[in-house]
Amino acid sequence: MSKTIDFYFDFSSPYGYLASTRIDALAAEYGRSVHWRPILLGVVFKAAGNQPLIEIPLKGAYSWHDLARTARFNGITYRRPSRFPLPTQTAARAMLWIQEQHGHALAIRFAQAVYAAMFVEDIDISATPQVLRIAATLGLDQAALAAALETPEIKDRLRAEVAQAIERGVFGAPFIFADDEAFWGFDRFPQLAAYLKNGSI
Amino acid sequence: MSKTIDFYFDFSSPYGYLASTRIDALAAEYGRSVHWRPILLGVVFKAAGNQPLIEIPLKGAYSWHDLARTARFNGITYRRPSRFPLPTQTAARAMLWIQEQHGHALAIRFAQAVYAAMFVEDIDISATPQVLRIAATLGLDQAALAAALETPEIKDRLRAEVAQAIERGVFGAPFIFADDEAFWGFDRFPQLAAYLKNGSI
């Protein structure tokens, strides 16, 4: 049984953001670490035949209301972004590069900063300069990251991550695997906690 | 502020079934009663541009797993029906007739029996004889119900209920309004409880 939980998310997924504020603490409570795995929901939705919820008119209006309410209910700082959804491949590639070059801990701090930029500070995280600026606040070399973002290697790396997620059954975000048990959505955290506690559910 | 909570459901909705086992007790805890309102999800989905989750391949497989897990997690008896989904207009019309002729309390008992038939006993509740049989177990007059099911009035009544639900913003099931606050899904019961307790959320 792997101690690591796989946390699949997209930087533009609001429920992914809510989950991101809690996943590490929840895992740590049960002696687990978390592998943060950025994916591209647009590609995943296309493969799964799914629809972005915001594009379904009634469901979209409700979802914005539900997001603000769910954030309040859980005591999570949240502001509805004025630009939504946003392309997230630059942020995702940057995170993969940071993981490879500087390890998981710093990559998670980067991801948290990107999510806060999108869902608290209302910053356009699809813009490469913003991604580089966030990296710089963590002490990372902007020029090295900017160069890495242009390489075919990092693009292939993200493509492979997304393909592997789809292969594994991911059809939305946040999507979590604890061992082989799959949990979709922030509202499954109570069940995830029960699974981590008992080793079964 | 109305004391009555509106509970919209479809007799073929598994998460609606889970919600149906808890909604009355939850409402009663906060001095509320529940108006059980059967709708037809097929019509609602068409109007909302939504998709039945079971029809989305990966999401469908996950959902069956999640349903059994969510039932276990909440201590609710559940068996995956061998026939799914089922047309539910006969059961819905019967419930509306029982509400009108015999009041809400008996109609709720009927609805609970229909849900148990579908999600515990694996009975084909789309079959009129099964609907009549369930009504008979509650002491209702099968012949009178059978005659009522054939009238244009009861068909119009259900059509109007579904149209009014769509008008109000219902796009899935279970869907609950407490005053003007909308809650979609069994997993929003903790937030519904908080709203009922505090009068705001």
Side-chain angles (χ1 to χ4, degrees):
Chain A
M1 181 163 93
S2 159
K3 301 302 275 180
T4 300
I5 292 168
D6 283 310
F7 171 51
Y8 290 96
F9 63 97
D10 181 304
F11 281 112
S12 188
S13 159
Y15 292 108
Y17 161 66
L18 298 183
S20 77
T21 67
R22 296 294 159 88
I23 187 73
D24 282 318
L26 176 61
E29 201 174 327
Y30 301 102
R32 302 277 195 130
S33 57
V34 181
H35 185 179
W36 289 48
R37 311 187 78 157
I39 54 171
L40 302 176
L41 264 191
V43 181
V44 167
F45 279 157
K46 200 170 278 179
N50 209 341
Q51 294 167 291
L53 51 81
I54 301 298
E55 285 182 11
I56 305 166
L58 286 174
K59 207 169 172 178
Y62 171 85
S63 294
W64 286 119
H65 180 74
D66 180 68
L67 271 163
R69 189 173 66 190
T70 300
R72 275 198 308 279
F73 183 72
N74 290 282
I76 299 167
T77 306
Y78 160 84
R79 195 165 73 178
R80 177 174 169 171
S82 55
R83 291 162 288 251
F84 183 89
L86 288 176
T88 56
Q89 55 269 41
T90 303
R93 288 173 190 148
M95 184 179 181
L96 293 177
W97 180 81
I98 297 168
Q99 259 173 7
E100 286 169 352
Q101 299 295 317
H102 302 278
H104 283 278
L106 194 57
I108 290 173
R109 285 177 56 209
F110 171 77
Q112 288 166 331
V114 171
Y115 255 146
M118 170 104 191
F119 290 106
V120 179
E121 300 149 39
D122 198 18
I123 287 165
D124 180 359
I125 58 142
S126 70
T128 305
Q130 292 292 357
V131 172
L132 296 176
R133 184 191 56 76
I134 292 168
T137 65
L138 298 168
L140 291 158
D141 181 341
Q142 288 198 50
L145 174 54
L149 289 175
E150 294 306 312
T151 62
E153 286 73 19
I154 199 67
K155 294 177 186 179
D156 287 348
R157 180 87 171 69
L158 179 58
R159 237 190 314 269
E161 274 286 309
V162 175
Q164 196 240 33
I166 293 167
E167 181 74 23
R168 206 170 170 188
V170 172
F171 56 82
F175 209 99
I176 291 142
F177 286 95
D179 315 318
D180 288 329
E181 193 70 25
F183 299 89
W184 171 50
F186 181 49
D187 29 36
R188 286 299 175 269
F189 270 41
Q191 293 188 32
L192 170 59
Y195 175 81
L196 294 177
K197 186 177 178 187
N198 304 317
S200 68
I201 184 164
Chain B
M1 184 161 95
S2 160
K3 299 303 274 183
T4 301
I5 291 168
D6 282 310
F7 171 51
Y8 291 95
F9 63 97
D10 181 303
F11 281 113
S12 189
S13 159
Y15 292 107
Y17 161 66
L18 299 183
S20 79
T21 66
R22 295 295 158 86
I23 187 73
D24 282 318
L26 175 62
E29 203 174 324
Y30 301 102
R32 302 277 195 130
S33 57
V34 181
H35 186 180
W36 288 49
R37 310 188 78 157
I39 54 172
L40 303 175
L41 263 190
V43 180
V44 168
F45 279 157
K46 200 170 281 181
N50 209 341
Q51 294 167 291
L53 51 83
I54 301 299
E55 285 181 13
I56 305 165
L58 285 174
K59 206 168 171 179
Y62 170 84
S63 293
W64 286 119
H65 180 73
D66 179 67
L67 271 162
R69 189 174 66 189
T70 300
R72 275 198 310 279
F73 183 72
N74 289 281
I76 299 168
T77 307
Y78 160 85
R79 194 165 72 180
R80 177 174 169 169
S82 56
R83 289 163 289 252
F84 184 90
L86 287 175
T88 55
Q89 55 268 46
T90 303
R93 288 174 190 148
M95 184 177 183
L96 292 178
W97 180 81
I98 297 168
Q99 259 173 6
E100 284 168 354
Q101 299 294 316
H102 301 279
H104 283 277
L106 195 57
I108 290 173
R109 286 177 54 209
F110 170 78
Q112 289 168 331
V114 171
Y115 256 146
M118 170 105 192
F119 290 106
V120 180
E121 299 150 38
D122 197 16
I123 287 166
D124 179 0
I125 58 142
S126 69
T128 305
Q130 292 291 357
V131 172
L132 296 176
R133 185 190 57 74
I134 292 167
T137 63
L138 298 169
L140 291 158
D141 181 343
Q142 287 200 50
L145 175 54
L149 289 174
E150 294 306 314
T151 63
E153 285 75 19
I154 199 68
K155 294 178 187 179
D156 287 347
R157 180 87 171 69
L158 178 59
R159 236 189 314 266
E161 275 285 311
V162 175
Q164 198 241 28
I166 293 167
E167 181 74 23
R168 206 171 169 186
V170 172
F171 57 82
F175 210 99
I176 291 143
F177 287 95
D179 315 317
D180 287 329
E181 193 71 26
F183 298 90
W184 171 50
F186 181 49
D187 30 36
R188 286 298 174 269
F189 270 40
Q191 292 189 31
L192 171 60
Y195 175 81
L196 294 177
K197 185 176 179 192
N198 305 318
S200 67
I201 183 163

